[in-house]
Amino acid sequence: MTQLQSLLASVSVLSLLSVADAWSPTNSYAPAKVECNGKTGLTREGGKISDAETSWLAKRDPVTSAALKSFLDRVTSNFADNSIVEQIFSQGAPKAGYAACGGGYRGMLLDAGTAAAMDERTPGANEYGLGGLLQGITYITGVSGGAFYTSTVAYNNWTSVQDIISQMNDGDHSIWDLSNSPLNPGGSDTDYTNQVFADVQTAVQAKHDAGFKVSLGDAYGLICGYYMYPSLPQGGATYQWSDIQEVDAFKNGEMPMLMEVTAIVPPGEKTAGLDATTIELNPFEFGSWEPSINAFSDMKYLGTELSNGNPVNDDECVLGFDNVNFITGASTDVINYIATQGNAVYTSMISQFQTKFLGNITTESVDTNIVSPNPFKGTSYYSASQGDSLVETENLRLVDGGYGGQVIPLTPLMRQERNLDVVIATDNSYDTPEIWPNGHSIISTYTRQFHDIGKTDAFPYVPDTETFAALGLTETPTFFGCDSSNLTDLAYIPPLVVYLPNRMYSYSSNISTYTFTYTKEERLAMIQNGFEIATRNNMTDDSEFASCIGCAVMRRKQEQLGLEWPSECEQCFERYCWNGTLASDLTSISSSTNGSSTTTTTQDDASYTTELTTLTSGENFSTIHFETSTTITCHECEEAQATATAEVCGECEEGQVTTTIECEECEEAETQATVTAECEECEEAQANSHHYTTTTSMTTTTEACEECEEAKATATSTSNSNNNSNGSSNGSSNGSSNGSSSGSSNVSSNGSSNGSSNKASSSVPTILQVTTALPTSSAFSIVLNENAGNNVGVTTGLTLLAIVGAFFGFM
Ligand SMILES: *[C@@H]1O[C@H](CO)[C@@H](O)[C@H](O)[C@H]1NC(C)=O
Ligand SMILES: *[C@@H]1O[C@H](CO)[C@@H](O)[C@H](O)[C@H]1NC(C)=O
Ligand SMILES: *[C@@H]1O[C@H](CO)[C@@H](O)[C@H](O)[C@H]1NC(C)=O
Ligand SMILES: *[C@@H]1O[C@H](CO)[C@@H](O)[C@H](O)[C@H]1NC(C)=O
Ligand SMILES: *[C@@H]1O[C@H](CO)[C@@H](O)[C@H](O)[C@H]1NC(C)=O
Ligand SMILES: *[C@@H]1O[C@H](CO)[C@@H](O)[C@H](O)[C@H]1NC(C)=O
Ligand SMILES: *[C@@H]1O[C@H](CO)[C@@H](O)[C@H](O)[C@H]1NC(C)=O
Ligand SMILES: *[C@@H]1O[C@H](CO)[C@@H](O)[C@H](O)[C@H]1NC(C)=O
Ligand SMILES: *[C@@H]1O[C@H](CO)[C@@H](O)[C@H](O)[C@H]1NC(C)=O
Ligand SMILES: *[C@@H]1O[C@H](CO)[C@@H](O)[C@H](O)[C@H]1NC(C)=O
Ligand SMILES: *[C@@H]1O[C@H](CO)[C@@H](O)[C@H](O)[C@H]1NC(C)=O
Ligand SMILES: *[C@@H]1O[C@H](CO)[C@@H](O)[C@H](O)[C@H]1NC(C)=O
């Protein structure tokens, strides 16, 4: 039966394209050089969407318009007066996008659940969900794990999540059969694994022999393909990204346009940060809106040697370079992350991969997806402030588009040229030590618009991570940019953003990015949880949630047309819009300082006291040395027998150090736990300490747990601060409830319960050096929040060690 299904699936995907439309010209992974027949202008100036996209929109717009009309009619049917829907459509339909966040397979599965909630093809989605909204969406974007979702559905004839679920199984190589990891795709079936690896090696060799640069990125993408297109020969090794132009569902505008994002490692550097240029990968083009390139090149001819957009040799136009797995691989390539850890074990692992998949091929960059020749060579559309390095370089080295922090692929949807009204965005980032989002990703996108590289972007205001925690913005969906009148200082008025953060409903969906195997039950549970995130638990948390999404869809048009705003929408916006309130505005958090200690009481009435026993100060208030002991009063322990967690050491949200304190003794003591410390994870901390760089201008790096090996007890951090001479006064010690307590008494002190003083509100920032000497005995664990600094979703080396283990297991 399952074989029959996979045979049928195979037939249907294979027949998507007529033979004449051809797939790879060589019928292999190797690109081919063909006559250009006088073709020129393969790379164009940015600043507008392509003519091909404009033509496609003419097909798609009527479809989305009808779908959104019917969605809005349905979700506003409970309004006292829903005539606004008619009024809006009389002036042209709203436009919507869906941004599928990264996060490895965690991201992919949760994104699929959210898509299922919006898809009228999901049974129950109309009754319990946002059914029909997906049909009204013009663009879907993916990055990293989110790109696994977007590519899978788009390149399988716009299949539905429901169809994938219906065929889902373990061990039969159906779509998303994650019962075995990409490091061992056959599991106990070693013949299968050997066959896959041999085919991948042959494919990479063939591309190399055809004269193209290859890397581990090619092998990585090809292996991933077996999980997305299992019915295609060799997981899609001959399937081109641009082939979607020929697929009926796309051609006729019956499905959204997919776009993925990858980042360019700047020439001479090892990896990409927040300011690295990003590339948009769309069905027609490979290009960048950003001022360092500002150009787009024809996707189908990627690999052709061009000078200012024209082929250098008229008989050498390249086809077949844009393999679907190579392109998706560029958006999801995590090898660079492993390779740049500076860890001997990982380095050795990479070199073994290299031997296995690249044989004796030498490569200029083993850990990125290399696009060479550079299609932007010789163009001059870039802005002088950015220099010409990306148009002069021979190779573009591409890595996971979430590097640098933007784990939600928002920027292609924010473009003014696309003129969207609303964007639905998931956030499955690995920001907190427990693998939940804390707002960092969306903050990165917000922040980047004020950098030179992001100056042509606009993104609505968002608050800091403390406010995300304090207001519970990662607990429920939140709308950003609700009022255009508030956005007038930005480059243009961006769409309203509906933010859907990962949280637990029916399943603990905080699974590591480096978990590569999921059983069928686990996959279904993740998808279900994603459905619940997008629907506020099947509309049980808020029976009007679908109406509220409808209001979000209508908002920009309503503002533009000056239409009366229904009272139901007014109420929705009070519930879901972030209105500018910051954690620091919350009066329920109090803090008092009496000179030797600071006591902070948080919203849920937990409190902690920081005592300063040594204080070195003087004329120069920039250095404070003190020792702390931190007392946490677990007010809710009696009820919940709970654990309180505090994050101290400051600046966690910016990629530095998080210290978790557990009130181990609550059960015995019932009300009070005195917490002492041990640097449990110091070895990892040391190994990775060079990673802690921050995004703010006034901060230096953090050296975490320097003395732990010797002392098992010391953490040193450097954090930025205002001039807060005591390190203990206002602003420094305000705690904030993270809003997630389920009987537990969570205290998130934002880097202050050890007395360090940062994020306070006064105006003159200085560098504040804080040294905390923690008592020697017990229950403190230092957890490194590396992820916030680079955001592929990895925290400590532990998870990577698991990969190493898996790797050596199969080698
Ligand atoms: C693609 O999907 C559409 C819509 O479900 C269907 O009509 C068509 O037959 C499919 N094409 C192939 C080749 O399976
Ligand atoms: C949500 O509704 C769907 C469809 O009825 C159902 O299958 C699912 O179990 C529900 N989930 C919860 C958590 O109620
Ligand atoms: C690479 O290895 C192959 C056999 O695996 C061999 O035929 C070839 O000569 C080698 N090339 C180089 C440059 O060593
Ligand atoms: C997932 O979250 C829960 C609750 O926050 C936590 O107890 C658990 O340790 C987390 N799991 C992982 C793998 O971090
Ligand atoms: C803004 O939001 C905060 C927190 O959700 C709320 O307490 C406050 O009343 C709101 N203010 C306005 C003016 O709506
Ligand atoms: C919009 O809101 C943000 C956040 O509250 C605020 O910083 C900004 O000044 C406001 N801008 C305008 C033009 O009202
Ligand atoms: C300051 O407060 C702490 C904690 O409440 C208390 O133990 C200490 O005695 C106080 N010190 C002074 C000087 O009042
Ligand atoms: C610093 O602490 C002293 C007591 O030790 C207090 O008198 C003074 O007001 C504090 N200064 C600031 C700026 O908080
Ligand atoms: C003041 O502190 C800064 C920062 O630690 C340091 O660079 C500087 O040398 C100090 N100046 C004096 C006079 O101690
Ligand atoms: C910091 O505050 C102290 C005391 O208020 C003041 O003397 C000093 O000039 C301030 N330093 C800076 C850099 O603002
Ligand atoms: C601390 O806050 C209190 C109350 O908000 C204020 O009266 C006091 O001046 C503040 N002290 C400092 C040093 O900012
Ligand atoms: C800290 O809390 C006090 C008392 O509520 C408040 O006056 C102060 O503004 C807060 N400071 C910050 C930086 O949040």
Side-chain angles (χ1 to χ4, degrees):
M1 179 57 189
T2 51
Q3 268 174 348
L4 177 65
Q5 276 174 343
S6 99
L7 190 65
L8 289 172
S10 147
V11 169
S12 75
V13 177
L14 283 171
S15 58
L16 280 177
L17 299 171
S18 68
V19 178
D21 296 324
W23 304 56
S24 160
T26 60
N27 199 32
S28 81
Y29 185 64
K33 291 181 176 155
V34 301
E35 289 291 333
C36 301
N37 297 323
K39 206 175 266 295
T40 57
L42 292 173
T43 300
R44 66 170 178 97
E45 184 171 10
K48 65 184 189 70
I49 60 172
S50 63
D51 295 344
E53 184 175 335
T54 304
S55 311
W56 176 82
L57 284 168
K59 295 265 175 55
R60 181 66 179 157
D61 285 347
V63 177
T64 55
S65 174
L68 282 181
K69 174 75 168 49
S70 115
F71 172 75
L72 291 172
D73 280 340
R74 172 167 79 80
V75 301
T76 60
S77 60
N78 58 327
F79 285 19
D81 173 4
N82 72 349
S83 58
I84 184 173
V85 177
E86 287 295 335
Q87 291 171 298
I88 280 176
F89 280 83
S90 69
Q91 304 287 322
K95 261 200 181 133
Y98 173 39
C101 183
Y105 289 144
R106 173 186 72 252
M108 176 184 84
L109 295 167
L110 291 167
D111 292 337
T114 292
M118 300 190 290
D119 192 339
E120 67 183 12
R121 297 172 294 181
T122 310
N126 292 342
E127 296 86 335
Y128 303 97
L130 307 172
L133 182 53
L134 190 65
Q135 279 64 36
I137 274 172
T138 304
Y139 303 94
I140 55 171
T141 56
V143 74
S144 202
F148 288 143
Y149 156 73
T150 50
S151 285
T152 301
V153 292
Y155 285 94
N156 280 295
N157 192 27
W158 187 235
T159 190
S160 65
V161 171
Q162 185 60 49
D163 274 354
I164 294 174
I165 288 174
S166 305
Q167 297 197 13
M168 193 169 268
N169 236 318
D170 278 342
D172 69 347
H173 309 302
S174 49
I175 294 173
W176 299 348
D177 173 8
L178 304 177
S179 52
N180 293 303
S181 97
L183 295 165
N184 182 14
S188 57
D189 183 353
T190 49
D191 288 349
Y192 182 85
T193 302
N194 291 338
Q195 187 63 52
V196 167
F197 288 165
D199 287 346
V200 166
Q201 204 263 321
T202 305
V204 176
Q205 183 75 43
K207 179 173 172 183
H208 170 77
D209 292 348
F212 295 90
K213 290 175 181 164
V214 295
S215 72
L216 277 183
D218 292 86
Y220 168 80
L222 286 164
I223 296 172
C224 292
Y226 284 82
Y227 292 78
M228 296 188 277
Y229 322 109
S231 60
L232 292 181
Q234 294 169 38
T238 63
Y239 199 11
Q240 305 309 307
W241 175 271
S242 56
D243 282 344
I244 200 159
Q245 295 174 23
E246 308 300 333
V247 171
D248 284 342
F250 182 75
K251 252 196 318 207
N252 302 335
E254 290 155 15
M255 60 177 275
M257 174 166 143
L258 92 160
M259 301 190 279
E260 291 170 10
V261 180
T262 178
I264 305 176
V265 177
E269 293 184 25
K270 289 203 159 89
T271 191
L274 185 60
D275 285 333
T277 300
T278 65
I279 294 272
E280 174 184 301
L281 307 161
N282 71 49
F284 308 108
E285 293 187 316
F286 173 101
S288 182
W289 299 94
E290 297 175 359
S292 50
I293 292 180
N294 185 31
F296 287 83
S297 194
D298 193 328
M299 180 64 87
K300 195 168 177 175
Y301 288 95
L302 200 63
T304 303
E305 188 176 0
L306 302 173
S307 175
N308 192 22
N310 301 320
V312 170
N313 302 306
D314 192 53
D315 55 353
E316 291 193 2
C317 271
V318 170
L319 291 175
F321 186 94
D322 64 318
N323 175 271
V324 68
N325 290 319
F326 177 74
I327 298 295
T328 304
S331 176
T332 67
D333 186 342
V334 293
I335 299 169
N336 176 258
Y337 180 80
I338 301 169
T340 53
Q341 294 304 289
N343 174 310
V345 178
Y346 305 156
T347 306
S348 141
M349 179 172 93
I350 296 287
S351 99
Q352 292 191 50
F353 277 136
Q354 194 169 350
T355 307
K356 181 154 191 74
F357 294 112
L358 303 184
N360 55 9
I361 298 170
T362 56
T363 171
E364 301 181 28
S365 172
V366 73
D367 61 339
T368 65
N369 283 44
I370 307 172
V371 168
S372 179
N374 175 359
F376 308 117
K377 187 90 178 171
T379 58
S380 50
Y381 309 125
Y382 62 91
S383 90
S385 63
Q386 287 282 325
D388 64 1
S389 65
L390 296 185
V391 305
E392 283 313 310
T393 186
E394 301 300 322
N395 306 324
L396 296 178
R397 294 176 302 142
L398 307 177
V399 294
D400 187 311
Y403 277 32
Q406 298 191 91
V407 190
I408 313 174
L410 288 158
T411 49
L413 301 172
M414 289 293 137
R415 293 306 309 181
Q416 184 171 28
E417 295 80 356
R418 295 203 164 100
N419 200 20
L420 298 193
D421 295 85
V422 66
V423 169
I424 314 292
T426 57
D427 188 356
N428 308 315
S429 308
Y430 188 159
D431 293 330
T432 74
E434 290 187 333
I435 321 183
W436 299 110
N438 69 4
H440 180 267
S441 181
I442 200 168
I443 293 168
S444 299
T445 299
Y446 165 75
T447 307
R448 197 170 181 268
Q449 70 186 311
F450 305 113
H451 299 189
D452 192 50
I453 192 73
K455 67 186 176 190
T456 66
D457 294 317
F459 193 79
Y461 294 89
V462 298
D464 53 22
T465 53
E466 287 106 71
T467 301
F468 269 85
L471 298 184
L473 302 184
T474 53
E475 295 298 310
T476 59
T478 303
F479 301 170
F480 294 104
C482 289
D483 292 309
S484 292
S485 62
N486 173 257
L487 306 175
T488 50
D489 292 344
L490 304 177
Y492 51 89
I493 306 289
L496 187 154
V497 174
V498 173
Y499 174 75
L500 301 174
N502 180 22
R503 57 154 287 183
M504 178 186 167
Y505 278 103
S506 57
Y507 193 65
S508 296
S509 49
N510 54 332
I511 295 177
S512 166
T513 313
Y514 284 90
T515 295
F516 288 140
T517 58
Y518 285 75
T519 64
K520 177 182 174 183
E521 283 65 36
E522 290 166 339
R523 300 194 295 279
L524 292 174
M526 287 293 281
I527 291 171
Q528 171 85 22
N529 202 68
F531 184 101
E532 288 154 2
I533 288 166
T535 58
R536 300 221 59 200
N537 202 15
N538 277 5
M539 307 294 165
T540 54
D541 286 359
D542 178 359
S543 62
E544 281 153 17
F545 184 61
S547 307
C548 294
I549 295 290
C551 296
V553 172
M554 294 189 292
R555 178 59 166 179
R556 286 286 178 270
K557 288 277 177 285
Q558 175 267 331
E559 290 175 317
Q560 286 155 15
L561 300 171
L563 302 176
E564 198 180 324
W565 193 224
S567 61
E568 292 87 350
C569 287
E570 185 80 51
Q571 285 160 22
C572 282
F573 273 32
E574 271 168 31
R575 287 209 289 289
Y576 293 106
C577 292
W578 176 64
N579 65 12
T581 300
L582 296 172
S584 50
D585 303 333
L586 295 177
T587 52
S588 54
I589 297 174
S590 66
S591 176
S592 62
T593 302
N594 70 3
S596 69
S597 71
T598 300
T599 300
T600 301
T601 305
T602 63
Q603 277 177 309
D604 62 358
D605 253 9
S607 70
Y608 57 85
T609 303
T610 300
E611 297 188 29
L612 307 181
T613 53
T614 311
L615 183 63
T616 310
S617 63
E619 295 299 315
N620 187 347
F621 285 97
S622 63
T623 302
I624 295 172
H625 177 89
F626 56 87
E627 294 182 336
T628 64
S629 71
T630 301
T631 304
I632 299 201
T633 308
C634 295
H635 287 283
E636 294 175 47
C637 287
E638 280 183 356
E639 289 134 58
Q641 300 290 308
T643 298
T645 304
E647 293 178 2
V648 297
C649 287
E651 302 302 320
C652 302
E653 70 285 4
E654 287 167 19
Q656 297 186 354
V657 181
T658 305
T659 304
T660 305
I661 304 176
E662 292 192 339
C663 285
E664 286 193 340
E665 295 166 57
C666 289
E667 283 183 2
E668 287 126 60
E670 295 294 319
T671 56
Q672 178 143 4
T674 302
V675 180
T676 47
E678 179 181 46
C679 287
E680 287 178 352
E681 294 178 54
C682 288
E683 284 180 4
E684 282 100 61
Q686 288 185 320
N688 293 302
S689 60
H690 59 285
H691 272 287
Y692 302 106
T693 53
T694 70
T695 53
T696 60
S697 56
M698 53 200 167
T699 310
T700 59
T701 56
T702 297
E703 298 272 321
C705 287
E706 278 181 352
E707 296 166 57
C708 290
E709 276 186 355
E710 291 126 57
K712 293 281 179 209
T714 305
T716 305
S717 71
T718 306
S719 49
N720 58 347
S721 169
N722 68 335
N723 181 11
N724 195 332
S725 59
N726 283 344
S728 63
S729 63
N730 299 353
S732 67
S733 298
N734 285 358
S736 59
S737 157
N738 68 9
S740 71
S741 60
S742 50
S744 72
S745 158
N746 286 356
V747 182
S748 175
S749 73
N750 304 327
S752 54
S753 72
N754 62 357
S756 82
S757 128
N758 41 42
K759 306 299 277 187
S761 51
S762 95
S763 55
V764 186
T766 63
I767 303 289
L768 179 77
Q769 175 110 22
V770 179
T771 302
T772 313
L774 302 168
T776 46
S777 56
S778 214
F780 228 103
S781 69
I782 304 287
V783 178
L784 297 173
N785 190 6
E786 213 174 280
N787 174 53
N790 99 16
N791 263 42
V792 254
V794 185
T795 51
T796 69
L798 280 176
T799 43
L800 284 168
L801 283 171
I803 309 178
V804 178
F807 178 77
F808 287 115
F810 91 80
M811 285 303 285

